[in-house]
Amino acid sequence: MGSNDMILQTATKVVSFIILLFSLHIFFAGHYNPGGGFVGGLLTSGAIVLLLLAYDIKTVANSLPINYRYMIAIGLLFAVGTGVGAFIFDVPFLTHAFDYFELPLLGKTSLHTAVLFDIGVYLVVVGATMTIIQTIGESE
Amino acid sequence: MSVLHLVIIAPLLLAIIVPFLSKKIHGLHTGWFVLLLPIVLFIYFLQLIPVMRNQESIQETMNWIPSLGINFTAYVDGLGLLFALLITGIGALVVLYSIFYLSKEKENLSTFYVYLLMFMGAMLGVVLSDNLIVLYVFWELTSFSSFLLIGYWFERERSRYGAQKSMLITVFGGLAMLGGFLLLHVMTGSFSVREIISMASEISSDPLFIVALVLVLLGAFTKSAQFPFHIWLPDAMEAPTPVSAYLHSATMVKAGIYLVARMSPVFAEQGIWLWLVGGIGILTLLWGSINAVKQTDLKAILAFSTVSQLGLIMSLLGVGAAALHFTELDTNIYMAATAAAVFHLVNHATFKGSLFMVAGIVDHETGTRDIRKLGGLMQIMPITFTIALIGSFSMAGLPPFNGFLSKEMFLESMVDILSLNIFQLETWGVLFPVLAWIASVFTFIYSMIFLFKTFRGKYKPEKLPVQPHEAPIGMLISPIILAALVIVFGLFPNILSESIIEPAASSIMPELIAAGQTFDIHISFWHGFTPALWMTIGIITVGILLYVTLPKWKKVYEKLPKKITLNNMYDAGLMRLESSSNKATSFYMTGSIRQYMIYIFIGLISILSFSLISKNAFAIDTSNVAPVGVYELVLAFIVVAASFTILMARTRLTSIIALGAVGYTVALFFILFRAPDLALTQLVIETISVALFLLCFYHLPKLSRKEERIKFKLTNAIIAGGVGVIVTLVTLSAHSTKLFESISQYYIENTAEKAGGGNMVNVILVDFRGLDTMFEIAVLGIAALGIYGMIRLRLSRRKK
């Protein structure tokens, strides 16, 4: 795209960062409030798409050197791994567990194995959307 | 999770690590790391031998899907242990051999060992699981990893052909077997092999029983390359030689034999089992041995020999089944057949494994496997020759090697079945010893061809691509160990009989052994002038005679019609399948997305309206409907208006924006109906898809309004209206009919308590219905890779 998108590019620098943070917030809030891996992942890809629109594919690929296809694989590994991990504790596939812990700074926090699964969802969603968008974009 | 489970999974776990290991460490051959695992596992299984000798078994259960009766129950008895020892023992030798066979520089080693380890784990899973579904999963994993291994040199066309053939045939059999397992579940309500065995006599009168029997046998026969499914095995020889030695002689092809042995207590009371297993087995034995003689490729000879030897073991299991079928008879002689089957299984693994390695060495050192080019290698490769001599003589059934002993037991069993009433001379039963004898003659001939055409005769260095010399010592260790075992088992067969054969045979025929009693097998080298010995003498005499006159009668093979072979039938069938499905596909795959949409929507309308009408499901009940407020009306109006804008738009940009408007309005609907999760997702999806549309926007041709005729538009309007009407009707009817209580109450009650969450939607996604999500993201990933592949392919083609 042209080089005279000063306003868009400057705004993007701030906005995409905010979107990224928000997507992380949404991801972690998911278990109690609207959100979760799926929406969080989509929002993250939304932020990257914004970058793609403001800059060109090469610039974004240089500043975010991520192989999105590996990201899909890692995400699937997380999801399947959480399921398989249940076997170690001799419970059926994909059984989740949670408990409450006293953590520094955060205070009483509940930790879930479900969040590992959700990380898998998150990674696959980001990986899949970005793979699609990037390949379509590169074919220009 | 127990040690036993860990043992089964260990190869799979190592398979995950291997690629990283081989990337990090450059100096050392990857095989050395891999080698450790089978050795450790082999030692683990060795120390289970004393347990099995006391007629005990080990069982460990791990829950998988308990609600469906699917649990990963690892179960070791004599039979499972025998196979586990073969898999790990031969596995270790094959890995050792492969370190010297596969070059570190030229080959992609990490993939090779990943596939090999996958296979090893899968195979252990097959022989050590008690649950039929788990067994099936591992079974298909063996087919799959064998497919990858056969196609390891995928740039060769023959490799791809062989890999596809083995996959098509074994997976077809596997699916049939799954059908058989499900039928067994229908009859018994259990997936556990041992529970099914305990109910065997109750289900044998069930009308489904014979169907299940045939389906299970289809699985076993395709895997063990029994006639007429044997055609995949010779083509599988395109795999690297260590793979052939491992998969196609010692382990994978024996999975079918394992299955038959394992299921014998369930099915063997039926006469049809005996006839099918025994009959197909003896037929395969004969067919394989006759075909092996006409081959000119060393590995092809061994491939057909494997086919025929698998038939031999199969026929012994069939005869052994007679012990369960005719309960009133003296069962001992049929037990002997089962013991012979087990014994020959071990022997075959030792001599065939070493012979495959010899073939690999000859190929590696001379550059060819064609016996027309080979000859006179005895002086150049004395060690290899000695190994080949031991292996071939054992295969031919000559003393003092182990093949002689099991061959004698085999012939004896074949003669023994004549004493049964149904096996009188005037019935077909007489064919068993006759065919066995003929097949053994041919076995003798091809064993001699393998040995003497390679190592004796005229040395023709001008025909060899490489100047031959003796193989490096590392490559010789594994075949030497196997050849040593051939001699040791031949001279001292009773090392095996107590430790391995007795437990294995008694787990094949558990009903015939009274509690506390053991199954006594003593294999003696000299057993008197029995019919079997006379048959052996006959085999050797006729065999030598025919081998000497080989050039004269080998032309008979050329007279046989070449066109009507099973291979040609397979190829033609595949071609027909391809061309007809091509026709069917090109009929509806026109490449126009509008037509696809028409198909989809017509399908939707017809299916939904058919089920609505046939079930008389129209129900419109407005008593339960919430009042429609101003907001809803406004939003509905916006959606309708935006949709019409899409229709009327003159440029694509307008339609994209209007489409976005529809999506955002739907998101507002979600907010209105208090579904924040859906609204959030919808908003982001809409944003990204609009951005995507804008990205694609450049590539699309200009929208022209003239391209469609008015008639075409009318059908479109009818379809569009139809979809609208039918969806509305279905929604209304679904809303008005309540057959069951809503499931939402369950989630409301349990979300906080069982999953510790506050957001029901998310908890359902990641916890309650996590399996769905797992497959959804898998589909998402596959779709993304598919799009990536398609676009990349087009781009690379355009560049060319």
Side-chain angles (χ1 to χ4, degrees), chain B residues 90-111:
Chain B
I90 305 275
L93 294 175
V94 162
V95 171
L96 179 67
Y97 176 77
S98 72
I99 292 172
F100 297 91
Y101 189 83
L102 289 172
S103 143
K104 196 171 62 193
E105 282 78 31
K106 285 183 211 146
E107 310 285 359
N108 189 354
L109 287 178
S110 61
T111 41

Side-chain angles (χ1 to χ4, degrees), chain B residues 68 73 78 90 109 141 321 338 371 375 420 451 484 603 669 708 723 727 783:
Chain B
L68 295 178
T73 306
I90 305 275
L109 287 178
L141 189 58
T338 306
I371 51 170
L420 260 181
L451 182 66
F669 263 117
E708 280 149 27
V723 172
V727 168

Side-chain angles (χ1 to χ4, degrees), chain A residues 17-125:
Chain A
F17 190 65
I18 295 173
I19 300 179
L20 268 180
L21 281 183
F22 182 60
S23 79
L24 282 184
H25 166 75
I26 279 233
F27 169 71
F28 282 111
H31 219 58
Y32 295 96
N33 293 307
F38 199 77
V39 189
L42 279 175
L43 264 178
T44 307
S45 3
I48 306 175
V49 168
L50 184 63
L51 285 174
L52 284 175
L53 289 178
Y55 300 90
D56 57 321
I57 283 190
K58 265 190 188 154
T59 322
V60 179
N62 282 339
S63 49
L64 287 174
I66 301 167
N67 187 337
Y68 294 107
R69 277 160 294 135
Y70 285 172
M71 206 162 174
I72 298 174
I74 294 168
L76 282 177
L77 216 61
F78 256 97
V80 178
T82 321
V84 175
F87 284 144
I88 299 171
F89 303 98
D90 208 15
V91 284
F93 187 65
L94 263 178
T95 308
H96 284 304
F98 68 95
D99 209 343
Y100 297 92
F101 296 95
E102 205 63 50
L103 292 182
L105 291 177
L106 295 173
K108 191 182 168 195
T109 316
S110 69
L111 293 180
H112 297 251
T113 53
V115 95
L116 294 173
F117 186 82
D118 226 11
I119 287 177
V121 177
Y122 175 89
L123 289 175
V124 172
V125 168

Side-chain angles (χ1 to χ4, degrees), chain B residues 394-427:
Chain B
S394 179
M395 183 157 75
L398 298 179
F401 306 111
N402 59 5
F404 167 71
L405 297 172
S406 46
K407 179 75 68 101
E408 291 290 286
M409 289 167 78
F410 162 67
L411 293 173
E412 220 167 80
S413 305
M414 290 297 143
V415 175
D416 278 343
I417 54 175
L418 286 180
S419 63
L420 260 181
N421 272 337
I422 59 149
F423 290 121
Q424 282 303 322
L425 270 179
E426 57 266 25
T427 64

Side-chain angles (χ1 to χ4, degrees), chain B residues 251-263:
Chain B
T251 56
M252 182 182 87
V253 286
K254 288 190 176 138
I257 294 195
Y258 168 79
L259 190 72
V260 168
R262 183 55 88 208
M263 295 311 240

